[in-house]
Amino acid sequence: MLIRDVEVDGRRRVDVRVRDGRLAEIGPGLPGAADVDGRGGALLPGLHDHHVHLAALAAEAGSVRVGPGAVRGGGELGAALRSGAPGEWVRAVGYHESVAGELDRRVLDALVPDRPVRVQHRSGAMWFLNSAALRAAGLDGDGRLWREDRRLRDLVPPVPLDLAAVGRRAARLGVTGFTNADPHPREGLARMLSVLPQRVLVMSAEGPVKLMLDDPTLPSPAELASVVARSRPRPVAVHCVTRVQLLVTLLALDEAGPVAGDRIEHAAVVPAETVAWIRRLGVTVVTQPHFPVERAAAYATDVHPDDRPHLYRCRTLAEAGVPVAAGTDAPYGTHDPWAVMRAAVARDDGEGVTPAAALRLFLGRPGHPARPRRLTVGSTADLCLLHVPLREALGTLSADAVRAAYVGGRPIHTV
């Protein structure tokens, strides 16, 4: 394939020849008939979403959305949950207490007494089941199931997963790769995800070993260090969404010793005094810089005032020399990396970054997310072609600029 007249590295207009899935030639006036006329648009490495939950994202399409942006109050929540055929299971996602307060079996029974209902909290950590759902699943209790996804898979009806649709939607955004970040990937997940046109790295099955931390069951630093040591020589990706989780992780990595590829996922709360520590360990932070924008109202009331200045740091970490990359965390955040970039630029809490830096958050290598990929002879032809030059694209950071996406030189989206 010969792509004629594209902007590479944001400055030079050249032709690019792809052969056997790699960039074979880059330069002006390459011989041959053009397969694609770039018309001066920027050619970039394809975007890589460094933290996403693909099966859950596919399941969202068959779920009722009951988050703060979709429903308001118990009346609207009940109406949403009662939609659909009587007697069939309802799967609802995105719930937050700001909608209608705390949920449990009793509250859901009052809203929907006659059909099985399960509601997932926006964090993804908790499921709420009504009595009909508990009976159907052979469970009892108050209907609040914490971190029970693996157990629920065997007890509730399967949700149809149109992963091909997920792949098509992502391709339109210029996404050519994903890192699936499930803490306990289901058996056969990598095979199931193979229908996606993008490249997929499945944590724990390959790449870094995902380690999940929760405050109620938080190990000691020595216990976590032992888990990290047993994972070696593979790197680890540690889920950290609270101050204490981060501190335990840093102490554990100090004791076990860091290796190339170690990651901290989310880094939701990063006190200023820990930034130099993170840099010294050399670990990469894969964060969600859009959450303080998407969830501003909730964070204003849910997050302790002492933690609010330290949420989802981006600029501070980068300026300190900490390797930083981003993932959407979809479906628990937007699936659109361009929306994440816009939010990363728009932040007014001192953590906003330049548009170019926001774009780089999604241009890293799967195994080294903060190490940007560049278009050079011999590099893999996972590409995102824009309608416009890079400077113009950086002015809007919109998926509207995406004209085509290629994986190994094979088109997965064209306009």
Side-chain angles (χ1 to χ4, degrees):
M1 178 176 66
L2 179 61
I3 307 175
R4 183 81 70 194
D5 187 25
V6 288
E7 182 189 69
V8 173
D9 295 334
R11 57 183 187 276
R12 55 187 180 128
R13 289 175 68 163
V14 295
D15 304 333
V16 175
R17 193 185 308 278
V18 176
R19 185 181 294 119
D20 297 328
R22 295 186 176 275
L23 303 187
E25 296 178 86
I26 301 175
L30 295 182
D35 297 286
V36 178
D37 182 357
R39 301 192 293 269
L43 186 67
L44 309 173
L47 305 185
H48 190 97
D49 189 338
H50 294 287
H51 187 115
V52 64
H53 303 274
L54 291 164
L57 182 57
E60 185 185 45
S63 304
V64 179
R65 293 174 176 82
V66 292
V71 298
R72 183 181 302 172
E76 290 188 13
L77 173 62
L81 296 178
R82 289 190 295 272
S83 63
E88 293 185 359
W89 276 81
V90 174
R91 183 185 193 272
V93 297
Y95 186 78
H96 183 265
E97 293 76 17
S98 60
V99 171
E102 298 286 344
L103 294 185
D104 58 17
R105 173 183 196 158
R106 176 185 57 81
V107 173
L108 287 175
D109 284 350
L111 296 172
V112 190
D114 57 349
R115 62 187 305 179
V117 170
R118 57 178 173 132
V119 180
Q120 189 181 44
H121 191 268
R122 182 171 67 182
S123 66
M126 180 83 80
W127 283 98
F128 309 99
L129 277 66
N130 70 350
S131 293
L134 289 169
R135 286 193 300 270
L139 299 170
D140 55 18
D142 66 359
R144 297 163 60 91
L145 280 69
W146 173 263
R147 299 287 186 205
E148 292 278 15
D149 290 71
R150 284 189 292 177
R151 186 182 180 196
L152 279 176
R153 283 181 206 143
D154 298 327
L155 299 175
V156 301
V159 178
L161 301 180
D162 190 351
L163 286 159
V166 170
R168 289 192 299 270
R169 182 174 65 174
R172 291 194 293 269
L173 303 174
V175 175
T176 60
F178 296 108
T179 295
N180 192 81
D182 296 354
H184 305 290
R186 67 182 71 187
E187 185 178 352
L189 179 62
R191 183 174 62 255
M192 183 174 72
L193 297 178
S194 65
V195 302
L196 293 165
Q198 290 83 5
R199 300 185 193 274
V200 182
L201 184 152
V202 178
M203 279 189 186
S204 295
E206 55 184 327
V209 177
K210 178 73 178 288
L211 302 180
M212 196 75 190
L213 300 183
D214 287 309
D215 284 1
T217 57
L218 194 64
S220 69
E223 290 169 337
L224 182 58
S226 178
V227 174
V228 171
R230 291 196 300 271
S231 301
R232 299 305 191 209
R234 293 174 62 185
V236 294
V238 189
H239 167 103
C240 293
V241 296
T242 66
R243 179 188 297 248
V244 67
Q245 289 172 18
L246 178 65
L247 294 175
V248 167
T249 296
L250 298 180
L251 288 166
L253 289 173
D254 255 342
E255 182 173 338
V259 302
D262 280 343
R263 301 163 47 142
I264 294 174
E265 304 299 307
H266 309 300
V269 182
V270 181
E273 59 271 20
T274 66
V275 173
W277 192 356
I278 297 171
R279 179 186 177 183
R280 177 175 59 79
L281 286 168
V283 297
T284 297
V285 170
V286 178
T287 187
Q288 285 72 49
H290 53 306
F291 278 0
V293 178
E294 282 188 2
R295 304 178 177 183
Y299 284 174
T301 57
D302 296 353
V303 176
H304 193 282
D306 290 346
D307 286 340
R308 287 178 203 153
H310 312 300
L311 292 175
Y312 293 95
R313 291 188 185 274
C314 194
R315 179 178 178 178
T316 296
L317 293 173
E319 290 183 343
V322 174
V324 182
T328 62
D329 200 24
Y332 311 114
T334 176
H335 69 280
D336 182 356
W338 298 95
V340 176
M341 296 177 214
R342 292 194 299 273
V345 172
R347 288 178 60 170
D348 59 3
D349 54 1
E351 294 298 332
V353 298
T354 66
L359 176 61
R360 286 195 297 271
L361 294 172
F362 291 95
L363 295 184
R365 305 170 187 271
H368 297 280
R371 192 176 299 171
R373 290 164 288 136
R374 301 183 66 85
L375 301 187
T376 59
V377 171
S379 62
T380 302
D382 294 352
L383 308 169
C384 174
L385 175 61
L386 304 184
H387 288 286
V388 297
L390 181 60
R391 182 174 181 179
E392 186 175 338
L394 292 176
T396 59
L397 291 175
S398 169
D400 291 341
V402 176
R403 177 180 165 192
Y406 305 86
V407 171
R410 177 178 56 86
I412 62 172
H413 168 68
T414 57
V415 175

